[in-house]
Amino acid sequence: MKKTFALSVLALGLSAGLVSSTFAATPDARLRQMAANCGYCHGTDGHSRGGIPDINNLPREYFVNQMKAFKDGSRPATVMHQHAAGYTDSEFEAFARYFATR
């Protein structure tokens, strides 16, 4: 009985992993997932609760330039330089488009 249960749980876990990885592989879902990381500080959909800048509705070029400046260290930051280091220029562009519509 325990072996059957364990195998069932394993099969369920594997199928859930396949579904979630397929879902996460779609560009929109992946972008939403990445953008959710910004929400911890900048608020849901880029609307801050104060103390940290809003990132919604920023002009695309401004957003991208700021992120590049964080990444290369030309803009001082406490933690943004660490976050920006993990993204590519094309991801900065995608973030800019995403938050421009929020």
Side-chain angles (χ1 to χ4, degrees):
M1 179 73 173
K2 285 184 180 182
K3 186 175 181 180
T4 304
F5 179 74
L7 289 174
S8 297
V9 169
L10 177 63
L12 181 61
L14 289 174
S15 65
L18 290 174
V19 170
S20 66
S21 65
T22 300
F23 177 73
T26 63
D28 290 340
R30 182 171 184 271
L31 180 57
R32 281 194 309 273
Q33 187 176 32
M34 289 186 332
N37 291 324
C38 305
Y40 289 111
C41 297
H42 293 280
T44 304
D45 291 332
H47 298 274
S48 175
R49 292 187 176 193
I52 295 176
D54 284 346
I55 56 173
N56 64 309
N57 295 318
L58 293 175
R60 182 204 59 78
E61 187 174 338
Y62 176 80
F63 184 96
V64 170
N65 288 339
Q66 295 307 302
M67 293 303 292
K68 287 179 180 180
F70 285 131
K71 187 173 185 174
D72 70 18
S74 62
R75 179 171 177 183
T78 54
V79 297
M80 280 305 301
H81 61 285
Q82 295 168 339
H83 291 293
Y87 296 106
T88 65
D89 289 354
S90 63
E91 288 171 329
F92 293 154
E93 292 281 345
F95 280 133
R97 285 190 307 274
Y98 179 84
F99 286 113
T101 62
R102 303 291 164 219

